[in-house]
Amino acid sequence: MDFRNAIDESLTWASGWFDYAATPWFFYQTAIILALFLAAKLAAQRIEPLAENRARQIKGHPGLLRVVVALLRRTDWILFTVYLLVALTLMRSITWPSRTHFISIALSLSLAWLFTSVLSRIIRNRLVGRILGWLTWIYAALVILGINDDAAAFLDSLAIPLGAVRLSALMVLKAALLLIATVWLAVVVGNYIDERVRNSEELTPSIRVLVGKIAKIGLVLVAGAIALSSVGVDLTALTVFSGAVGVGLGFGMQKVVSNFVSGVIILLDKSIKPGDTISLEGTFGWIRELRARFVSVVTRDGREYLIPNEDFITQRVINWSFSDNLVRLDVNFGVSYDADPHKVSQLAVEAAMSVRRVEADRRPVCWLTEFGESSLDFVLRFWIRDPQQGLTNVRGKVLLALWDILKKNGISIPYPHREIIIKQKGPDRSGGP
């Protein structure tokens, strides 16, 4: 019966509009609306480029610039609404209000379209913005045309009974609209909180990441629960279903869950944090970002490795800056036996001190380690505070400085010598054949 009543009311409304469209003043108003729209289009082609160039000069306010540019991209609709408002005011002053009814509706619809189109451009996610814009404008159009109650009754009549729950098209539409709006709002608020927390100097980097992720996930879950509860969905009825789905997903997503839990553990025990220099399975680099499933590690050659969180829990990780950025490096070398080992140690320390990245506060040391086969073997040890800038390059600079200073002081670096003695067998004196 509800479906039949909704159809009858819709036919009655359509019949009334057909009768109104047959009147001469409807055609007059239609011509005025089309002429004003064409005039707005032509004027916008001249105004929009000039205004947009001025707007691009806004610096330091990306949010304001986004709003201004979104408005300027709708210059034609802004001019169209202004023209309609002027035409409506003039016509109502010289004729009956009933003869401006269609212009009034066009003005209301254009204002609603202007608002929703600007809103959809402000939202960063284009798909979410377009869906929200169209749904908002459709609802506004139904309210302006006075058929929102009839449309709601029609959508509510399209229902499917699911046990004790009556699932109608109206409920699905409301749930989708509220879910998109609340989740989008939750993401915006979560990103704002995450940005504020990341800028906080009172928290450690790991706690900043943990708080930001908890805020984002928690707000999205709360937004989804609020949206579903607002349209009358009983969340307790989903417990059994969610439990069954959870068991199935648990077997199929073991690695995903393992990486997620490992990520939480990493954030809590602070074993690694953004900016740390690490080595893992031959990968040397610094941590750029901690994600829910993986850790982003950037190497010296610009490659970005996405390493699962589980690897940082189950495998051996070298964190060069876990408790301190100070890192000691060793350089092994050998000199000729003709050199004075005391002088060699002194020159090696001077060579290391001449390299900019070597710490001057922690003086390098050089020790004689072995009397080798063809050289006196030394180890030069020095400290750096910026391992994220690379280890091989600083070792190479120290070796070059060491080469220069040894060569300058006449100390040679030997290479192995091998003597080959060939013994030639003499004639056989046994008298045999």
Side-chain angles (χ1 to χ4, degrees):
M1 293 299 294
D2 294 337
F3 181 77
R4 178 69 63 84
N5 293 334
I7 292 295
D8 293 340
E9 292 178 358
S10 300
L11 291 175
T12 302
W13 175 84
S15 177
W17 265 98
F18 279 125
D19 294 339
Y20 176 70
T23 60
W25 274 100
F26 176 80
F27 292 100
Y28 299 154
Q29 294 176 82
T30 303
I32 293 173
I33 292 171
L34 293 177
L36 294 178
F37 185 75
L38 181 60
K41 280 286 186 182
L42 294 175
Q45 292 179 358
R46 292 180 172 271
I47 297 175
E48 184 176 338
L50 299 176
E52 188 168 346
N53 291 333
R54 296 292 299 272
R56 294 293 181 183
Q57 299 177 2
I58 300 176
K59 305 295 183 181
H61 301 281
L64 177 61
L65 179 61
R66 179 180 288 272
V67 175
V68 172
V69 171
L71 285 171
L72 292 178
R73 294 291 171 82
R74 296 294 181 267
T75 303
D76 50 352
W77 284 96
I78 295 175
L79 294 176
F80 181 52
T81 54
V82 172
Y83 292 165
L84 285 176
L85 180 61
V86 173
L88 182 64
T89 303
L90 291 176
M91 290 185 65
R92 284 188 173 178
S93 64
I94 60 177
T95 187
W96 300 102
S98 59
R99 295 178 177 177
T100 60
H101 180 65
F102 190 48
I103 294 180
S104 176
I105 292 177
L107 175 61
S108 299
L109 290 175
S110 62
L111 282 172
W113 174 251
L114 178 62
F115 173 78
T116 56
S117 60
V118 172
L119 176 65
S120 64
R121 293 298 296 268
I122 293 175
I123 298 175
R124 294 182 180 273
N125 192 312
R126 299 300 299 274
L127 179 60
V128 174
R130 289 180 178 179
I131 292 175
L132 274 178
W134 276 105
L135 291 178
T136 305
W137 185 80
I138 290 173
Y139 178 75
L142 294 176
V143 173
I144 293 170
L145 296 175
I147 58 173
N148 56 313
D149 293 334
D150 298 337
F154 175 74
L155 293 175
D156 188 61
S157 63
L158 303 175
I160 300 175
L162 297 175
V165 180
R166 181 177 178 273
L167 185 64
S168 65
L170 181 63
M171 178 183 293
V172 173
L173 184 61
K174 285 183 177 180
L177 183 60
L178 286 174
L179 192 61
I180 293 173
T182 54
V183 170
W184 173 78
L185 183 61
V187 171
V188 171
V189 175
N191 289 335
Y192 174 76
I193 295 175
D194 184 36
E195 183 179 355
R196 295 298 298 269
V197 170
R198 287 179 181 272
N199 294 331
S200 176
E201 298 181 355
E202 299 177 358
L203 302 176
T204 62
S206 298
I207 296 299
R208 295 176 200 168
V209 176
L210 180 61
V211 172
K213 292 186 182 302
I214 291 177
K216 288 182 179 180
I217 296 174
L219 287 173
V220 169
L221 292 177
V222 171
I226 292 175
L228 294 177
S229 300
S230 300
V231 296
V233 176
D234 187 7
L235 297 180
T236 58
L238 301 177
T239 54
V240 177
F241 175 75
S242 61
V245 173
V247 172
L249 292 177
F251 287 104
M253 301 178 66
Q254 292 182 14
K255 285 293 184 181
V256 175
V257 175
S258 175
N259 286 318
F260 178 77
V261 175
S262 299
V264 175
I265 294 174
I266 289 173
L267 294 174
L268 290 176
D269 64 13
K270 305 176 186 178
S271 56
I272 59 174
K273 59 185 180 296
D276 281 354
T277 304
I278 61 100
S279 296
L280 175 65
E281 291 185 344
T283 301
F284 174 82
W286 61 93
I287 296 175
R288 188 182 69 86
E289 188 178 7
L290 301 178
R291 291 288 188 92
R293 190 181 60 84
F294 59 85
V295 176
S296 172
V297 178
V298 181
T299 60
R300 290 284 298 165
D301 56 3
R303 297 180 183 179
E304 187 169 2
Y305 290 86
L306 307 180
I307 303 176
N309 292 329
E310 186 180 8
D311 291 353
F312 288 89
I313 300 295
T314 59
Q315 299 183 19
R316 180 178 296 179
V317 180
I318 300 176
N319 191 338
W320 295 85
S321 52
F322 177 66
S323 56
D324 193 353
N325 286 329
L326 202 61
V327 175
R328 193 189 75 180
L329 300 179
D330 295 348
V331 170
N332 298 298
F333 67 99
V335 298
S336 171
Y337 271 96
D338 297 332
D340 181 3
H342 302 284
K343 186 177 181 181
V344 170
S345 297
Q346 180 183 356
L347 293 175
V349 171
E350 293 178 6
M353 293 289 290
S354 66
V355 177
R356 181 180 58 84
R357 288 179 57 192
V358 174
E359 274 295 306
D361 296 338
R362 300 290 294 268
R363 185 176 177 83
V365 294
C366 183
W367 302 108
L368 177 63
T369 59
E370 188 179 3
F371 295 106
E373 293 182 0
S374 58
S375 65
L376 296 173
D377 295 334
F378 292 83
V379 59
L380 174 61
R381 291 173 174 169
F382 57 92
W383 299 81
I384 62 173
R385 285 191 180 274
D386 52 355
Q388 67 274 8
Q389 298 298 326
L391 305 180
T392 304
N393 53 3
V394 70
R395 281 198 184 98
K397 291 181 179 179
V398 170
L399 285 171
L400 287 175
L402 187 60
W403 169 272
D404 293 338
I405 199 169
L406 292 178
K407 188 175 182 180
K408 181 179 179 181
N409 288 271
I411 299 174
S412 61
I413 299 176
Y415 49 87
H417 291 275
R418 297 289 184 267
E419 292 185 2
I420 301 176
I421 301 175
I422 301 176
K423 291 185 179 181
Q424 193 172 18
K425 189 176 180 181
D428 189 0
R429 300 178 183 274
S430 61

